[in-house]
Amino acid sequence: MEVGREIMHAAASSNLKQVSLELVEKSPLLIFYDADVDKADSLALLGIVYNKGEICVASSRVFVQEGNVLNNYIKRWI
């Protein structure tokens, strides 16, 4: 966030009038108990490697609901 503040300050003190910053590069993939785990598993991998992960919706984090779905999801990756 420090870099974002510096960019905003530089934009405000120059001739730029409006600035929009997208500084958060983390788009979570949420997997709940009613999800198709096979599909969620493949989409999680595709989401981060598609376009080399350089898109605003790259699923760089995966949050899985606790319980059976989490246990099943972990078993797939071990």
Side-chain angles (χ1 to χ4, degrees):
M1 291 304 248
E2 189 66 35
V3 173
R5 286 188 188 106
E6 289 181 30
I7 293 171
M8 288 294 281
H9 179 69
S13 62
S14 71
N15 63 352
L16 296 176
K17 299 302 178 203
Q18 293 182 343
V19 175
S20 175
L21 299 175
E22 183 180 332
L23 299 174
V24 180
E25 299 176 10
K26 303 292 182 188
S27 301
L29 175 66
L30 307 175
I31 302 174
F32 293 103
Y33 72 94
D34 57 347
D36 178 347
V37 178
D38 291 328
K39 190 172 186 176
D41 185 38
S42 63
L43 288 176
L45 182 58
L46 177 66
I48 194 60
V49 298
Y50 181 75
N51 198 32
K52 298 179 285 181
E54 296 179 12
I55 55 176
C56 61
V57 293
S59 53
S60 54
R61 296 181 293 169
V62 178
F63 293 116
V64 183
Q65 185 173 4
E66 292 179 334
N68 289 336
V69 69
L70 176 60
N71 295 335
N72 292 337
Y73 193 80
I74 290 172
K75 287 177 187 175
R76 296 176 156 307
W77 286 95
I78 294 178

